[in-house]
Amino acid sequence: MSINRNLTEEQILLRDTVRKFAEDVIRPQARELDEKEEFSDEITAEMAAMGFLGAFLPGKYGGSELDYVSYIILVEELARVDSSHAATIAAHNSLGAGPLYYYGNEEQKEKYLPKICQGHLWGFGLTEPEAGSDAGNTQTTAVRDGDYWVLNGSKIFITNAGTDMTLGSTVLTVTGENANGKKELTCFLVENGTTGYETKNMKGKLMWRASNTCELYFTDCRVHKSQMLGKRGDGYHQMLGTLDNGRLSIAAMGLGLAQGAFEYALNYAKQRKTFGKPIARHQAIAYKLADIEVGIAHARPYLYEVCRMLDGNERITKEGAIAKLNCSELAHMAANHCVQILGGYGLMKEYDAERFYRDQKLLEIGEGTSEIQRLVISREIGCFD
Amino acid sequence: MNILVCISRVPDTATKVVIGSDGNSIDSQGVKFIVNPYDELAIEEGLRLREKNGGVVTAVTIGTDKSTDVLRTALAMGVDKVILVKGEENPDSFYVAENLAAVAKDENPDLILLGRQSVDFDSLQIPSALGEILGMPSISVVSKLTIEDGKVTAERDIEGGCEIVEASLPCIISAQKGLNEPRYPKLPDIMKSRSKPIDQRDAAAAASRTSIIGMEIPLKQRAGKILTDSDDDINELVRMLHEDAKVI
């Protein structure tokens, strides 16, 4: 079945364009940026000029107006070549632009969206040292003081929050207690450079080393009340909605990485000879490649179908979790086979196999671990009713 | 400046080509088609000239209903309008040139840009045939182009060097690698290309003058053999050249 089956002419052209861009602009630098653990302002600026930053936002804010299938193809094609750059784009769109666009008021949208389409990044500060999917345990607080809210606390593992191109981040805080005794959660839009707000780049990552990951620190950081996202107490639902959509971009990263690892392994297996013939002709190797192909062949149409559901404003809590779980485990299998097929060379940094192998691991952890995905799915199918 | 860019739809250069069951056409099943890479240079040059001098860039292809995809690519790159001339399924170069000439007569361009050749059938005839039909100067295989006050200066790649040619507008230029670096279509432009109209026309009365009677896939190259400078191997080399290759 063709990779382009059931896609429109525009979606096919978009795939071809992003693939060529990723091959020409990102691939030549990917290995070195990963090795140096360096975020590239230049490549990010080029991606911005291509319209990757405001992928699904309307044209009136400077967005590219992609439908969700097209957006997912964009992320998939970047991840086929390099997960770090795919992560920059996926996090910016799904977690940065998404909440601003879906939950911001018109004034906030006009203030921030044109800038974050054109070349500024926006982060999403949810995770804390002791709170991730368990958002109810959030410790960062915001306390009202006249027209301002005063933020104190910290966040961890926040993508895109601390680059020279970053404009700010959406930050989840505790603003009180609900009637049922649970924490009242509220999001604020905090610009970089605000007094009392600091970002610290996290180094020493296993994966996505050319993407930016930060710790955020708030020390009596005063944020004007107009920077509240939506209403007081909306934070929990905003976060869940954002993660539902964000899961699809992680799924796209898994699918793209699996495709990249598959092509890399197949190409190697057809060239490398042992016992007088290419290793692709040894069944043990051929069957590994066949297994990856089976996984990709099932994962892609399913992911695109979930995107079409989202385009149709259907609820995708279960389907998004299934796609995310499936594609991230597929990426694990593909990267593992890829290293195995390359044998000793697969362990060396000169070959992309080891980067695929490291980069895939986040997909089973970020935006809800595989265990959390199974929890979501089992809840949705009624196990706990 | 009114610029007409002629583009063709060719199998992706990475596609594995299979001959159809009729023995004289390519089996298009599963084949991915793209804008002829040399034609992308022509589109890019048209866009750059428009950005510098103003005007309109029109892209045209002679094809079938399937050819809308390459016109969509041209729109996403930035051409102003596109024309699809629907004609024979497998036309020859003369047929294409006749039909491009008919469009040129309607559109009245100052400049016609094409790729130096299409990478599928490689006839290299169309830029020259078009010049002949329209009575216009036609400069082939151009790697640098300057247009000032209606005067065209073109650098052509020739064996071992370059040739500089002058002509006046209107004029036909076929593009060679090095002329420019084609831009990537930007995502918002790709999405907007969806809603732009494609001007569809029927082919002019023209007939192909040649027809394909057969196609063959080249035989796989045999593996090379490495010989040393020992006396035995030199004798073997002479034997192979004489008996196997039959060149001496």
Side-chain angles (χ1 to χ4, degrees):
Chain A
M1 187 161 62
S2 160
I3 190 171
N4 290 330
R5 193 173 173 84
N6 291 333
L7 299 186
T8 64
E9 274 180 3
E10 296 75 39
Q11 288 163 341
I12 294 167
L13 176 57
L14 181 136
R15 179 191 296 285
D16 292 350
T17 302
V18 177
R19 182 170 289 201
K20 188 163 190 308
F21 177 90
E23 290 289 349
D24 294 351
V25 178
I26 298 173
R27 192 184 291 283
Q29 295 191 58
R31 204 176 293 156
E32 190 183 339
L33 290 169
D34 171 78
E35 178 70 21
K36 290 184 179 165
E37 202 165 11
E38 192 176 298
F39 177 89
S40 169
D41 288 353
E42 293 77 23
I43 293 179
T44 309
E46 285 195 56
M47 294 197 292
M50 286 291 292
F52 293 179
L53 293 192
F56 52 72
L57 297 182
K60 71 168 178 171
Y61 301 117
S64 297
E65 302 205 335
L66 303 192
D67 55 84
Y68 222 80
V69 176
S70 299
Y71 166 58
I72 277 326
I73 291 172
L74 162 66
V75 175
E76 182 191 343
E77 286 300 325
L78 293 173
R80 176 182 161 273
V81 170
D82 184 53
S83 292
S84 291
H85 290 88
T88 301
I89 294 305
H92 174 79
N93 281 290
S94 290
L95 309 180
L100 278 172
Y101 176 58
Y102 291 118
Y103 309 120
N105 59 39
E106 198 51 42
E107 194 184 330
Q108 290 166 341
K109 289 186 199 182
E110 279 171 16
K111 184 175 177 188
Y112 291 120
L113 293 181
K115 288 184 182 164
I116 68 161
C117 287
Q118 277 161 13
H120 289 286
L121 297 173
W122 195 269
F124 181 63
L126 159 66
T127 308
E128 296 188 1
E130 293 186 40
S133 297
D134 176 22
N137 200 33
T138 297
Q139 306 291 321
T140 299
T141 56
V143 177
R144 183 83 191 246
D145 178 16
D147 283 346
Y148 287 82
W149 288 83
V150 182
L151 275 59
N152 278 289
S154 68
K155 298 284 174 182
I156 194 166
F157 308 133
I158 311 304
T159 307
N160 288 337
T163 74
D164 292 341
M165 309 169 80
T166 304
L167 192 58
S169 292
T170 303
V171 180
L172 187 73
T173 67
V174 179
T175 45
E177 200 172 272
N178 288 323
N180 60 12
K182 286 187 176 170
K183 285 177 177 173
E184 177 196 72
L185 298 172
T186 307
C187 285
F188 290 92
L189 309 175
V190 186
E191 293 182 14
N192 284 33
T194 304
T195 307
Y197 174 41
E198 275 181 79
T199 65
K200 186 172 162 229
N201 290 347
M202 298 175 77
K203 291 290 179 188
K205 284 187 290 178
L206 172 75
M207 64 331 112
W208 297 10
R209 289 164 57 87
S211 73
N212 174 261
T213 309
C214 287
E215 290 173 274
L216 316 183
Y217 294 97
F218 303 92
T219 314
D220 293 332
C221 172
R222 294 171 70 81
V223 175
H224 194 264
K225 65 181 182 184
S226 65
Q227 297 295 90
M228 185 185 282
L229 186 68
K231 291 198 308 290
R232 182 173 174 174
D234 282 354
Y236 188 68
H237 290 287
Q238 291 171 353
M239 180 208 78
L240 288 182
T242 302
L243 289 185
D244 271 359
N245 296 359
R247 279 182 193 130
L248 295 187
S249 57
I250 293 286
M253 290 191 62
L255 179 60
L257 187 147
Q259 180 73 36
F262 169 75
E263 290 175 24
Y264 200 78
L266 178 62
N267 183 46
Y268 180 86
K270 290 173 90 164
Q271 289 178 22
R272 162 80 169 161
K273 286 182 181 161
T274 60
F275 305 103
K277 58 183 177 182
I279 60 171
R281 293 183 183 225
H282 295 301
Q283 270 188 0
I285 301 301
Y287 287 8
K288 283 183 174 57
L289 291 161
D291 285 345
I292 307 175
E293 176 67 8
V294 170
I296 292 173
H298 279 95
R300 183 175 285 121
Y302 186 80
L303 175 59
Y304 291 180
E305 203 49 40
V306 181
C307 292
R308 290 184 185 110
M309 289 174 69
L310 190 59
D311 275 330
N313 291 319
E314 289 181 59
R315 184 172 177 273
I316 56 148
T317 303
K318 181 179 79 174
E319 291 77 7
I322 292 172
K324 196 262 184 189
L325 177 65
N326 184 37
C327 290
S328 54
E329 293 192 343
L330 168 66
H332 177 94
M333 186 259 274
N336 189 38
H337 282 346
C338 181
V339 171
Q340 192 69 22
I341 288 169
L342 266 82
Y345 296 109
L347 304 172
M348 304 304 294
K349 284 200 182 294
E350 275 175 81
Y351 293 82
D352 287 349
E354 72 87 39
R355 198 170 84 248
F356 285 133
Y357 189 78
R358 287 185 287 107
D359 281 341
Q360 58 80 23
K361 191 58 208 173
L362 186 142
L363 304 172
E364 295 178 305
I365 295 173
E367 299 203 31
T369 59
S370 293
E371 290 75 12
I372 289 288
Q373 305 309 321
R374 287 187 166 86
L375 176 65
V376 170
I377 296 161
S378 53
R379 195 186 283 148
E380 288 285 318
I381 58 178
C383 291
F384 303 102
D385 291 354
Chain B
M1 189 184 280
N2 187 7
I3 300 168
L4 182 66
V5 185
C6 310
I7 63 178
S8 70
R9 181 175 188 262
V10 299
D12 188 340
T13 43
T15 295
K16 193 177 168 194
V17 170
V18 177
I19 295 174
S21 53
D22 61 3
N24 59 14
S25 66
I26 292 165
D27 183 356
S28 63
Q29 176 83 37
V31 174
K32 184 170 152 32
F33 286 87
I34 57 169
V35 176
N36 176 38
Y38 289 111
D39 296 342
E40 283 190 347
L41 302 169
I43 296 171
E44 178 65 33
E45 197 64 14
L47 297 175
R48 289 186 190 193
L49 287 166
R50 182 192 66 190
E51 281 156 12
K52 199 169 155 219
N53 306 315
V56 175
V57 181
T58 306
V60 57
T61 191
I62 313 299
T64 62
D65 287 327
K66 291 177 192 153
S67 309
T68 52
D69 54 359
V70 293
L71 294 173
R72 210 65 83 182
T73 304
L75 284 168
M77 285 177 76
V79 309
D80 301 288
K81 52 181 190 144
V82 295
I83 300 168
L84 169 61
V85 177
K86 288 196 275 190
E88 286 181 16
E89 187 95 25
N90 296 303
D92 76 352
S93 301
F94 179 75
Y95 178 91
V96 173
E98 281 274 28
N99 275 287
L100 290 175
V103 172
K105 282 171 190 163
D106 288 342
E107 299 296 317
N108 202 22
D110 303 300
L111 180 68
I112 301 177
L113 292 162
L114 313 84
R116 58 172 275 189
Q117 74 197 82
S118 289
V119 299
D120 50 0
F121 292 104
D122 293 321
S123 81
L124 291 100
Q125 295 182 21
I126 291 169
S128 309
L130 195 54
E132 178 64 22
I133 297 166
L134 294 171
M136 279 187 200
S138 177
I139 311 176
S140 306
V141 197
V142 171
S143 53
K144 190 176 178 204
L145 181 66
T146 317
I147 299 179
E148 265 165 17
D149 303 327
K151 195 177 79 177
V152 176
T153 310
E155 287 184 20
R156 304 183 60 244
D157 287 355
I158 56 171
E159 191 64 37
C162 107
E163 180 184 66
I164 299 168
V165 181
E166 266 187 18
S168 54
L169 294 176
C171 167
I172 297 164
I173 298 289
S174 82
Q176 160 73 325
K177 269 183 205 152
L179 181 63
N180 54 48
E181 198 59 51
R183 69 195 61 193
Y184 306 104
K186 294 182 174 18
L187 302 198
D189 297 329
I190 291 173
M191 300 320 280
K192 279 181 211 145
S193 74
R194 163 173 44 188
S195 55
K196 292 191 177 163
I198 294 176
D199 177 356
Q200 304 207 16
R201 303 179 185 181
D202 289 327
S208 291
R209 292 183 177 183
T210 59
S211 57
I212 296 167
I213 57 165
M215 282 188 184
E216 282 175 9
I217 300 279
L219 290 173
K220 266 197 176 163
Q221 295 224 321
R222 275 167 290 185
K225 188 165 183 183
I226 296 171
L227 299 169
T228 66
D229 60 357
S230 70
D231 289 350
D232 281 355
D233 274 8
I234 288 167
N235 287 336
E236 173 65 5
L237 175 65
V238 172
R239 189 202 63 76
M240 286 167 69
L241 289 172
H242 184 63
E243 294 175 15
D244 298 346
K246 298 187 172 68
V247 292
I248 54 170

